């Protein structure tokens, strides 16, 4: 199962990019053994619309247009449900075992996701009730995908 992150905003050079690239590389290597990955990233620019609803709608259209046809969409949203790492791993493997070819994790812009994307999403997930900067949310997501792979493969990285 191919894993994609589609996001509004670009990750600039710096410690966040370095850490993200470390997990991206780990996902590519460790994921082969459990048929998850590689990880690809699509970065889209923020809308310049004046109203926040217009920005969210425009960004939602751009995100949806950038996704592979038939992909399962998981939206990251502060109002989404929270999962333990083990439950996240279980859900990722359940989708893989169901024959999912592509899974896309969508990270919206500063205003959040537009309704079109939220309606297209199979589920919305949150990294807790706090709001995280997008560059950190991307690193957290990559780490959790890697952790899910290590849980699936029995690697000692996850010590529950």
């Amino acid at each position: 199962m191919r894993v994609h992150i589609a996001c509004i905003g670009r990750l600039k050079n710096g410690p966040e990019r370095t850490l993200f690239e470390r997990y991206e590389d780990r996902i590519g290597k460790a994921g082969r053994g459990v048929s998850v990955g590689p990880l690809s990233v699509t970065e889209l620019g923020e809308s310049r619309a004046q109203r926040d609803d217009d920005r969210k709608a425009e960004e939602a259209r751009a995100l949806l247009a950038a996704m592979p046809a038939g992909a399962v969409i998981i939206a990251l949203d502060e109002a989404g449900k929270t999962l333990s790492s083990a439950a996240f791993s279980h859900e990722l493997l359940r989708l893989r075992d169901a024959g999912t070819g592509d899974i896309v994790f969508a990270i919206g812009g500063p205003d959040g996701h537009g309704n079109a994307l939220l309606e297209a999403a199979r589920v919305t997930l949150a990294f807790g009730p706090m709001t995280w900067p997008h560059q950190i949310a991307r690193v957290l997501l990559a780490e959790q995908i890697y952790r899910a792979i290590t849980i699936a493969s029995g690697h000692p990285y996850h010590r529950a």
Side-chain angles (χ1 to χ4, degrees):
M1 177 176 68
R2 293 169 299 277
V3 181
H4 311 271
I5 297 175
C7 48
I8 301 298
R10 306 202 189 298
L11 196 57
K12 295 173 179 60
N13 286 331
E16 294 91 356
R17 177 173 284 288
T18 300
L19 187 54
F20 177 81
E21 289 172 348
R22 180 181 308 161
Y23 286 115
E24 182 180 31
D25 182 59
R26 288 178 179 185
I27 290 166
K29 290 175 181 171
R32 284 189 290 255
V34 294
S35 299
V36 175
L39 175 65
S40 67
V41 179
T42 301
E43 296 179 320
L44 302 168
E46 289 182 32
S47 168
R48 296 191 184 273
Q50 294 299 310
R51 295 183 41 232
D52 64 341
D53 285 342
D54 294 338
R55 281 191 302 273
K56 291 191 301 186
E58 190 175 296
E59 291 168 355
R61 283 191 299 274
L63 284 167
L64 289 167
M67 295 179 186
V72 170
I73 301 168
I74 298 178
L76 269 64
D77 186 89
E78 64 187 6
K81 70 179 185 175
T82 59
L83 295 175
S84 68
S85 295
F88 179 77
S89 178
H90 175 77
E91 288 302 311
L92 198 63
L93 295 178
R94 188 183 62 74
L95 288 168
R96 178 205 63 190
D97 294 346
T100 302
D102 293 280
I103 184 169
V104 178
F105 293 93
I107 301 174
D111 300 306
H113 286 297
N115 288 335
L117 190 127
L118 291 172
E119 290 170 7
R122 169 98 37 109
V123 68
T124 58
L125 292 180
F127 292 129
M130 294 180 174
T131 301
W132 296 95
H134 286 61
Q135 62 272 30
I136 293 175
R138 198 181 311 186
V139 171
L140 290 171
L141 176 58
E143 192 280 337
Q144 284 300 297
I145 294 167
Y146 173 68
R147 184 176 296 273
I149 290 167
T150 64
I151 291 169
S153 67
H155 188 279
Y157 178 80
H158 178 72
R159 295 178 179 102

